[in-house]
Amino acid sequence: MLTALIIDDEQNNLDNLQAILSEHCPEVFIAGTASNGKEGMALIRNIQPDLIFLDIQMPRMNGFEMLMSLDKYNFEIIFVTAFDQYGIQAVKFAAIDYILKPVNIHELKDAVQKVVLRNALKSQNLRLENLIQIMEKNKPRDDHRIALASVKEVRFVPTDQIIRCVSSNNYTTFYLLSSEQIVASKPIFEYEGLLADYGFIRCHQSHLVNRKYIKSYVKEMGGYLITDDGAEIPVSRQKKEYVKATLAL
């Protein structure tokens, strides 16, 4: 049984989610609800929950601000929120579960089951800690770490340590400065959006490259890039002008 809290500023959302959880997720016990960040912080400290269902967009203190006011993160979290482009990008970057309103029951049950599995090895929530660091405005962008979920683990990798990414069906291989390779269980198009603001460019259907590590652009054979690790990365015909413009060629 997971002890859980729901934090949302709209009473109908609190009531609706509580009813859905009661009917479809019997492994979750709702120990309390809060309608704002201040109430939520008090509940978290008093109850020490296993799981929090949290809205991002709340007046006065939003969900991220509330989390940043806490001093430890020994709980799991599932964001239940209306679409928020910036917020959702950050949540995806940290590989944390979220559900868009109105709540889809199957998505909710899947997210809860993931928490049940992780709760068996309960410890400080590194994913949530990473999200808080991403949201901190005074933290240098180069210090941001992207969460790469593989079959066996989640690795937190600084974006400036990634040279390039290569697609293989529904998996993406990350090539790091250390010469290590990490295979993440998501397709490359998901990482294209997450890494766009970190200097990565999609030069080919199967390749995503960190501009920081592009050594040269070779015009022969249709054009290709050479990266600092010696790889030759093709540039597709459709991407050629975009790549040249991005690199100011």
Side-chain angles (χ1 to χ4, degrees):
M1 181 69 72
L2 295 171
T3 300
L5 304 176
I6 305 175
I7 304 173
D8 194 305
D9 64 305
E10 296 186 21
Q11 187 62 46
N12 64 317
N13 289 333
L14 291 172
D15 295 341
N16 181 56
L17 183 55
Q18 200 161 2
I20 293 174
L21 289 167
S22 176
E23 181 175 356
H24 298 281
C25 300
E27 63 271 64
V28 176
F29 167 68
I30 303 301
T33 64
S35 59
N36 58 63
K38 187 175 181 180
E39 290 178 5
M41 289 170 58
L43 272 180
I44 292 168
R45 289 170 177 146
N46 290 335
I47 295 177
Q48 298 291 307
D50 301 309
L51 171 62
I52 298 172
F53 296 93
L54 178 63
D55 186 18
I56 294 177
Q57 298 173 326
M58 295 187 293
R60 293 185 293 278
M61 178 186 287
N62 66 36
F64 292 137
E65 292 168 336
M66 186 205 77
L67 290 172
M68 285 187 277
S69 299
L70 300 173
D71 52 8
K72 60 180 180 178
Y73 305 100
N74 55 348
F75 52 82
E76 294 286 338
I77 194 158
I78 298 173
F79 288 100
V80 184
T81 184
F83 187 75
D84 178 306
Q85 179 64 41
Y86 175 63
I88 294 302
Q89 282 290 94
V91 169
K92 285 183 177 180
F93 198 88
I96 291 179
D97 286 313
Y98 71 94
I99 299 169
L100 293 177
K101 299 175 183 176
V103 173
N104 179 292
I105 293 173
H106 295 295
E107 291 180 359
L108 178 63
K109 291 172 69 174
D110 287 344
V112 168
Q113 283 307 306
K114 291 178 187 177
V115 173
V116 170
L117 293 174
R118 289 197 294 266
N119 195 59
L121 300 172
K122 186 174 181 180
S123 60
Q124 191 83 343
N125 190 336
L126 296 179
R127 296 189 197 207
L128 187 50
E129 286 185 359
N130 189 47
L131 173 63
I132 298 306
Q133 291 178 358
I134 294 167
M135 299 302 298
E136 289 177 350
K137 294 181 173 58
N138 61 346
K139 191 172 183 65
R141 183 171 287 273
D142 283 350
D143 289 344
H144 288 180
R145 299 185 301 163
I146 186 170
L148 303 179
S150 66
V151 175
K152 295 183 179 180
E153 63 178 348
V154 176
R155 288 282 300 277
F156 299 94
V157 179
T159 56
D160 67 345
Q161 297 297 303
I162 302 168
I163 298 175
R164 55 194 177 90
C165 314
V166 180
S167 173
S168 177
N169 296 321
N170 289 324
Y171 295 87
T172 304
T173 301
F174 285 74
Y175 292 79
L176 309 185
L177 277 178
S178 63
S179 298
E180 183 182 6
Q181 298 177 22
I182 299 174
V183 179
S185 49
K186 283 185 180 179
I188 198 168
F189 73 83
E190 295 217 19
Y191 294 112
E192 178 183 8
L194 296 178
L195 291 170
D197 291 337
Y198 294 85
F200 285 74
I201 59 175
R202 185 83 174 269
C203 60
H204 185 276
Q205 181 179 356
S206 301
H207 296 272
L208 189 61
V209 182
N210 190 339
R211 288 180 56 186
K212 186 175 183 179
Y213 301 115
I214 294 175
K215 183 184 295 184
S216 62
Y217 172 79
V218 181
K219 299 179 181 179
E220 300 172 351
M221 300 174 62
Y224 61 93
L225 303 173
I226 298 178
T227 52
D228 285 354
D229 62 347
E232 297 182 357
I233 310 299
V235 176
S236 68
R237 183 182 306 170
Q238 296 85 348
K239 295 286 187 178
K240 183 179 293 186
E241 293 307 315
Y242 157 73
V243 170
K244 290 172 69 175
T246 302
L247 298 179
L249 298 176

